[in-house]
Amino acid sequence: MKILVIGASGTIGSKVVKALSDQHEVLKAGLSNGDVKVDISTPESIRDALDSIGPIDAIVCATGDVAFNAFEQLSREEWDKGINSRLMGQVNVTQIGAQYLNDGGSITLTSGIIADHPIPYGTSAATLNGAIHHFTKAAATELPRGIRLNTVSPTVVTESLDVYGDYFPGFHSIDAEDLSKSYIRSVLGIETGQIFRAYAGN
Ligand SMILES: NC(=O)c1ccc[n+]([C@@H]2O[C@H](COP(=O)([O-])OP(=O)(O)OC[C@H]3O[C@@H](n4cnc5c(N)ncnc54)[C@H](OP(=O)(O)O)[C@@H]3O)[C@@H](O)[C@H]2O)c1
């Protein structure tokens, strides 16, 4: 399979790339690193990147910015950051990406545990992750040509605990390599419209 991984240099994306690379042709994409440069918050950038690649079998989106702040202080600009990247960035990756996918292809998005379990400063992330879940369920029913759509919703990643750990007291973390299995299940399996909640035990 020819698979595009957006966010390929990241904590999560790099393990997804590693897990897929043995048996598949993986194209690495990111904002400033990778084989292909793309900014998911800009539809033109998504289209340009996909034009440069041509037909593919799967897209994994392991990125999507969102702002963290106290609810009372969340500015419109901070809301827009997540709306344009976490939500509409991934919606656009799906809508535009589907046009470049071969029959029976797949799209895998990323949300996060905050959709189900609130944390301090997480209202924007919770709202937009939840929207991604509803989008996944609905859009999967309308995608043409057997194209599948799923979302992986990770708990905090063990390798990210130094940065985010204080915001997830008592939460179980998951190693990025273990988490990559949920992405593999989405890309290589047959399921669609699913949210793979990678947080058993939380
Ligand atoms: N880490 C966690 O604990 C955790 C838990 C739940 C959910 N998540 C979510 O999972 C996603 C990946 O997390 P991560 O920790 O792996 O992130 P990360 O290590 O910070 O890596 C981010 C990746 O996304 C790329 N990127 C950034 N902005 C982009 C844009 N506008 N367009 C395209 N690519 C862009 C970066 O590319 P460059 O290197 O080229 O800049 C990099 O490859 C994020 O949405 C995060 O919120 C993470």
Side-chain angles (χ1 to χ4, degrees):
M1 276 190 199
K2 190 171 176 182
I3 301 166
L4 175 67
V5 177
I6 306 175
S9 72
T11 307
I12 295 172
S14 59
K15 295 297 185 189
V16 175
V17 169
K18 191 169 170 219
L20 289 167
S21 290
D22 275 354
Q23 297 186 348
H24 302 278
E25 181 189 352
V26 178
L27 293 157
K28 295 179 252 181
L31 194 57
S32 47
N33 295 296
D35 309 313
V36 185
K37 307 290 182 294
V38 61
D39 179 357
I40 66 159
S41 64
T42 309
E44 297 72 29
S45 173
I46 298 170
R47 198 173 288 284
D48 288 348
L50 289 164
D51 272 341
S52 75
I53 295 167
I56 46 176
D57 299 299
I59 300 171
V60 172
C61 189
T63 190
D65 244 355
V66 68
F68 289 87
N69 202 352
F71 174 60
E72 285 188 329
Q73 286 160 23
L74 266 174
S75 65
R76 179 61 212 232
E77 288 71 27
E78 287 173 318
W79 276 105
D80 283 345
K81 181 179 179 183
I83 290 168
N84 293 332
S85 183
R86 173 67 56 94
L87 178 59
M88 287 314 298
Q90 297 201 92
V91 168
N92 287 328
V93 164
T94 305
Q95 211 169 13
I96 298 168
Q99 298 164 23
Y100 292 81
L101 281 171
N102 293 322
D103 292 359
S106 73
I107 302 164
T108 306
L109 308 179
T110 299
S111 60
I113 190 171
I114 307 169
D116 294 330
H117 300 286
I119 63 163
Y121 305 111
T123 299
S124 178
T127 304
L128 301 172
N129 286 344
I132 286 290
H133 291 181
H134 292 296
F135 167 73
T136 301
K137 194 175 167 187
T141 68
E142 291 202 50
L143 284 168
R145 300 183 289 108
I147 293 172
R148 298 180 299 105
L149 171 65
N150 297 298
T151 288
V152 175
S153 180
T155 184
V156 64
V157 172
T158 308
E159 291 88 335
S160 304
L161 284 175
D162 280 354
V163 186
Y164 305 122
D166 287 350
Y167 297 100
F168 292 90
F171 283 63
H172 293 277
S173 66
I174 186 169
D175 296 352
E177 186 175 346
D178 198 11
L179 173 61
S180 71
K181 293 191 178 78
S182 295
Y183 289 86
I184 304 311
R185 178 175 158 192
S186 175
V187 173
L188 303 182
I190 61 168
E191 295 170 276
T192 190
Q194 299 302 308
I195 312 303
F196 296 123
R197 289 176 166 84
Y199 41 85
N202 274 300

